[in-house]
Amino acid sequence: MTGVFMGALIVLTISIMMLVIRVVKGPTTPDRVVALDAIGVLLIAIIAVLSMLLSTYAFLDVIILLAILAFIGTVAFAKFIERGVIIQHDRNK
Amino acid sequence: MKKRKPNDLVLQTVTKVVSFLIILFSIRMFFAGHYEPGGGFIGALMTSAALVLLLLAYDAKTLSTILPIDYKIITAIGLVFAIGTGVGGVLFDVPFLTHAYDKFYLPLLGEQTLHSALIFDLGVYLGVIGVTLTIIKTIGESE
């Protein structure tokens, strides 16, 4: 069973390396933001496989935490690209 | 031509659901801290993440309408809780910050063990929420 988990980890690592290439040479900022969001999702998958490999429940909180943080970070980046400000004082003004 | 108002229907609807999930997760992290990974610090960071999501989807004025709180006062209340548990130990003739626990019978929950470290953790929770949101709102609202 360990071999299956190691194989999954290798595949996920290769995917993250390809996404890092997209982050480095992405021509526009939205390319980089989407690549960073996908890296966050793949990190979640890596933590899930690692917690199966180490046979522990201790990392399951980290998974939901990373999902929340990746979502909020992506929303903040998207709002910065669209409006130029992240937190407005009054949006109807 | 009239300037169009921004339309964030999807983001605002998702925020209405997800922010409650994040707050529930943060409360769970706060109470799990004694036996499992978690605690006051990460619980407070998750609560402030939910409030930051509200700040992103709406604006600072809406958040101060929902929660009319001065976050500096929240930090002060947290420090009072943390110091109060320490001084409470001194009152019972034991060293500063000595904690105690006992079994209590709560309605609906049955027999539970309550520990005074929970009140210290509540102080950490309120302090971290206050500091984080003071920083974010101070930086975000500067024109």
Side-chain angles (χ1 to χ4, degrees), chain A residues 8-77:
Chain A
L9 280 180
I10 289 170
V11 171
L12 289 168
T13 312
I14 292 171
S15 315
I16 283 189
M17 284 160 68
M18 288 175 169
L19 282 166
V20 167
I21 293 173
R22 179 48 66 196
V23 171
V24 170
K25 63 175 277 201
T28 60
T29 313
D31 286 330
R32 296 190 171 96
V33 173
V34 172
L36 283 173
D37 193 41
I39 285 179
V41 175
L42 285 174
L43 279 177
I44 292 168
I46 281 187
I47 293 169
V49 175
L50 265 182
S51 65
M52 283 192 281
L53 194 62
L54 301 174
S55 67
T56 172
Y57 290 119
F59 298 142
L60 297 188
D61 286 333
V62 181
I63 291 174
I64 184 167
L65 200 137
L66 253 181
I68 291 168
L69 288 184
F71 173 65
I72 291 178
T74 310
V75 168
F77 260 121

Side-chain angles (χ1 to χ4, degrees), chain A residues 70-91:
Chain A
F71 173 65
I72 291 178
T74 310
V75 168
F77 260 121
K79 192 162 178 187
F80 179 70
I81 291 171
E82 192 188 340
R83 307 265 170 82
V85 290
I86 296 181
I87 297 174
Q88 296 165 298
H89 181 66
D90 189 357
R91 62 185 297 119

Side-chain angles (χ1 to χ4, degrees), chain B residues 20-61:
Chain B
F20 282 105
L21 288 178
I22 299 175
I23 287 177
L24 280 178
F25 176 62
S26 77
I27 292 172
R28 192 250 170 212
M29 283 296 247
F30 173 71
F31 282 108
H34 205 86
Y35 294 110
E36 289 170 41
F41 186 76
I42 188 67
L45 285 183
M46 279 292 102
T47 307
S48 9
L51 297 179
V52 166
L53 186 60
L54 284 174
L55 277 178
L56 288 174
Y58 296 91
D59 48 18
K61 208 175 148 194

Side-chain angles (χ1 to χ4, degrees), chain B residues 44-136:
Chain B
L45 285 183
M46 279 292 102
T47 307
S48 9
L51 297 179
V52 166
L53 186 60
L54 284 174
L55 277 178
L56 288 174
Y58 296 91
D59 48 18
K61 208 175 148 194
T62 312
L63 186 70
S64 56
T65 312
I66 300 170
L67 286 174
I69 299 172
D70 188 358
Y71 294 102
K72 295 187 281 297
I73 295 175
I74 294 285
T75 313
I77 293 172
L79 290 178
V80 166
F81 270 115
I83 295 174
T85 46
V87 175
V90 173
L91 292 181
F92 290 100
D93 227 6
V94 283
F96 185 66
L97 277 175
T98 304
H99 287 283
Y101 68 96
D102 203 355
K103 286 190 183 356
F104 290 94
Y105 191 80
L106 301 175
L108 292 178
L109 294 176
E111 195 182 68
Q112 296 285 330
T113 309
L114 294 183
H115 199 291
S116 67
L118 185 71
I119 306 173
F120 187 82
D121 223 16
L122 186 66
V124 174
Y125 182 81
L126 293 176
V128 172
I129 286 184
V131 169
T132 315
L133 280 165
T134 306
I135 291 172
I136 290 173

